[in-house]
Amino acid sequence: MLHYLRREQGFYKRLFLLALPLVLQNLITTSLGFVDTFMVGLLGNNELSAVTAANSPIFLVQVIIFGLMSGLTILVSQFWGKGDLQSINRVMGIAAYAGVTIAALAALLLFFFPRQVLFLVTDNRLLIELGAPYLRIVGISYVFNAVSSVYVSMQRSAENPLFGMLVFAASMLLNTFLNYCLIFGKFGAPALGITGAAAATLTSRVAEFLIVAVYALRSRRVPLMPGLILRPGRAIVHTFAKYASPVLLNETLWGLGTTMMTVILGHMAASADMLSAYAIMGNIDKFTTVSCFGLAGAAAVILGKRIGEGASRDDVYDLSWCLLLVSLLLGGVLAVVMAVVLPTVFIPYLYPLFSLTEAATEAAVSMCLVYLVSLPMKSFDITNITGVLRAGGDVKMATIIDLCPLWLTAVPLTALTGLVLDAPVIFVCMGIYAENLCKMPWGIHRLRSRKWINDVTREAAS
């Protein structure tokens, strides 16, 4: 098995240079959410729980946009391997149309019916009233984010991940500064609390959009072709729909399944404590897996380009195993780091910053313990599903492998332990992270079949 790790000279340097900006980009994006959580958490336990509840429907919008970007990556990376810039512009056009439409519909729903949407997440009236203003404003920000994400994903798939890292770095710095000003009323700004956090997010997303627009008009790496963007053509629409639709369905149902976890926790007896713990653990999860998703993104680009260049199936298969073994090793290292920082940093220093109750702290520790055990498997699954299988165009099976363990194992077990049995917190946490036990062996079986290796550009050309 380890012989797959022997690659040509310079391979790991190329992998590192491609993955590092993606890791930093993911880290910056995650930091954006953590800054909101941290600063709002300083206001109190109820405010933190309200933002956690409000971010559940927002998270669903995020994963839908991410699904579109994943579909874009499948096609753009292979077209980049062929040097087909016209088709890349067509794919950008389709993704932009779809992303803006979905984000605009979500923004309208969240703006006019914020309380009704929040009531689906929690029945705690105080949390609903606190979270509604936040939800109305933040929803609008994703209309701008949809356009930015399309262009950043295209550049990433064309082996230019540095651009996205710089864009989101600027966005994060602006958002952090505005959070400080608008949440707490600094530098003459009004103290708006939760609403200030939402206003800061919206402003930073608009700035992000403007940076992307200026860069896109001046870039020569993939010159904009407005005619092709505005009128992509039926052939490429059909191809995009075939490969992006399952990914979009995957991310939507996965996001809905993850949201169901919040709903379940929000209807437990100690809902405020569980939601606070889940908010903290959610941010720890995002910080921990940024490198996993960065590696998966690099894997998708490398494999997609290699397929587009016409490499043999054996070459692509061997390359995929190399990337997956690297990802498994990465997950193991992250688990060891988590085991060290939990008792030395999280429990004595991090958790007290959020003014958590004793019950919320206990829940956060339990979630962290179960999470670090599942990290190596989770890292492998992330690269296999979002990097390897999707890069080869095997989007339908990737969707099945990703969704079935979540909906048929994790969600029912969490509901059973949390709502029906009223089990100890540790068992509820085991239910939340149970899906990885099923995904990894199933994913390996599909990988070995080699049925996932497809040149999607041939169909687009025909």
Side-chain angles (χ1 to χ4, degrees):
M1 184 65 71
L2 294 179
H3 70 275
Y4 290 118
L5 293 173
R6 298 192 192 98
R7 307 303 302 176
E8 67 274 11
Q9 186 176 4
F11 171 79
Y12 287 105
K13 179 180 179 181
R14 179 187 168 208
L15 175 62
F16 176 79
L17 291 176
L18 185 57
L20 181 60
L22 295 179
V23 171
L24 294 176
Q25 178 184 323
N26 291 337
L27 182 62
I28 290 164
T29 305
T30 301
S31 300
L32 197 63
F34 182 77
V35 167
D36 277 356
T37 302
F38 176 73
M39 291 190 176
V40 170
L42 295 177
L43 297 174
N45 196 65
N46 286 328
E47 286 80 0
L48 176 60
S49 299
V51 170
T52 302
N55 276 329
S56 293
I58 290 297
F59 175 72
L60 190 57
V61 177
Q62 288 176 320
V63 296
I64 291 173
I65 294 175
F66 178 77
L68 284 171
M69 300 313 103
S70 298
L72 177 146
T73 297
I74 295 168
L75 294 171
V76 170
S77 59
Q78 292 200 19
F79 281 127
W80 179 250
K82 290 187 179 299
D84 188 348
L85 301 184
Q86 291 188 353
S87 293
I88 290 176
N89 272 269
R90 295 180 191 275
V91 172
M92 269 200 297
I94 300 165
Y97 277 126
V100 170
T101 300
I102 292 170
L105 291 174
L108 289 173
L109 177 65
L110 297 177
F111 186 83
F112 289 107
F113 305 103
R115 290 175 178 80
Q116 291 84 341
V117 171
L118 278 171
F119 187 73
L120 298 175
V121 179
T122 179
D123 55 0
N124 188 314
R125 297 287 181 180
L126 175 60
L127 301 186
I128 291 173
E129 290 304 315
L130 287 172
Y134 177 90
L135 199 59
R136 295 181 69 181
I137 297 172
V138 168
I140 301 172
S141 70
Y142 283 92
V143 178
F144 297 96
N145 180 249
V147 179
S148 303
S149 296
V150 167
Y151 191 78
V152 166
S153 296
M154 182 279 294
Q155 288 286 347
R156 181 189 67 192
S157 302
E159 298 183 289
N160 182 25
L162 183 62
F163 171 69
M165 183 195 76
L166 295 175
V167 169
F168 291 120
S171 177
M172 186 204 71
L173 291 173
L174 177 61
N175 188 70
T176 302
F177 174 72
L178 292 177
N179 265 336
Y180 180 70
C181 294
L182 297 176
I183 292 176
F184 305 111
K186 303 296 183 180
F187 298 107
L192 301 177
I194 291 177
T195 304
T201 299
L202 174 58
T203 305
S204 65
R205 293 300 188 193
V206 173
E208 179 183 294
F209 168 79
L210 293 175
I211 294 171
V212 167
V214 172
Y215 181 88
L217 293 173
R218 299 172 61 87
S219 174
R220 292 293 173 264
R221 185 180 186 84
V222 180
L224 292 183
M225 303 175 186
L228 299 180
I229 293 174
L230 296 174
R231 289 191 237 175
R234 292 183 180 180
I236 200 72
V237 169
H238 173 76
T239 303
F240 186 88
K242 178 178 179 180
Y243 290 101
S245 296
V247 179
L248 183 58
L249 177 67
N250 183 174
E251 298 302 336
T252 302
L253 292 181
W254 182 83
L256 186 60
T258 304
T259 301
M260 281 299 298
M261 299 297 187
T262 308
V263 172
I264 293 168
L265 299 180
H267 285 80
M268 289 177 63
S271 60
D273 292 329
M274 292 302 294
L275 286 173
S276 295
Y278 196 53
I280 304 301
M281 193 59 238
N283 280 283
I284 292 174
D285 174 32
K286 290 174 184 176
F287 272 113
T288 306
T289 56
V290 289
S291 52
C292 302
F293 279 104
L295 179 59
V301 174
I302 290 172
L303 283 169
K305 184 181 180 184
R306 189 70 65 89
I307 294 171
E309 290 171 340
S312 69
R313 296 173 72 86
D314 287 342
D315 180 49
V316 173
Y317 178 77
D318 290 350
L319 177 58
S320 68
W321 264 115
C322 170
L323 295 166
L324 286 170
L325 289 174
V326 171
S327 121
L328 184 65
L329 293 171
L330 174 62
V333 171
L334 291 172
V336 172
V337 172
M338 284 283 290
V340 173
V341 299
L342 176 60
T344 58
V345 178
F346 289 171
I347 295 175
Y349 300 111
L350 179 63
Y351 294 158
L353 291 176
F354 292 94
S355 304
L356 298 179
T357 63
E358 184 178 347
T361 301
E362 179 187 345
V365 172
S366 298
M367 288 181 188
C368 198
L369 286 172
V370 177
Y371 174 78
L372 70 87
V373 173
S374 67
L375 249 179
M377 291 182 290
K378 181 167 186 171
S379 179
F380 183 95
D381 293 334
I382 288 171
T383 298
N384 194 23
I385 293 171
T386 66
V388 175
L389 299 183
R390 287 182 182 174
D394 193 26
V395 289
K396 291 182 181 178
M397 185 54 67
T399 298
I400 293 171
I401 295 172
D402 202 23
L403 292 180
C404 287
L406 173 63
W407 281 98
L408 301 181
T409 303
V411 171
L413 282 177
T414 306
L416 178 65
T417 53
L419 299 179
V420 179
L421 302 178
D422 194 22
V425 172
I426 190 69
F427 291 104
V428 179
C429 299
M430 290 172 68
I432 293 173
Y433 298 110
E435 60 182 298
N436 296 106
L437 291 172
C438 305
K439 283 184 181 181
M440 187 173 179
W442 197 354
I444 291 174
H445 176 74
R446 183 61 178 180
L447 185 76
R448 287 177 172 170
S449 73
R450 308 192 188 199
K451 295 179 181 178
W452 56 273
I453 305 173
N454 305 282
D455 186 346
V456 302
T457 64
R458 293 179 182 175
E459 181 177 337
S462 64

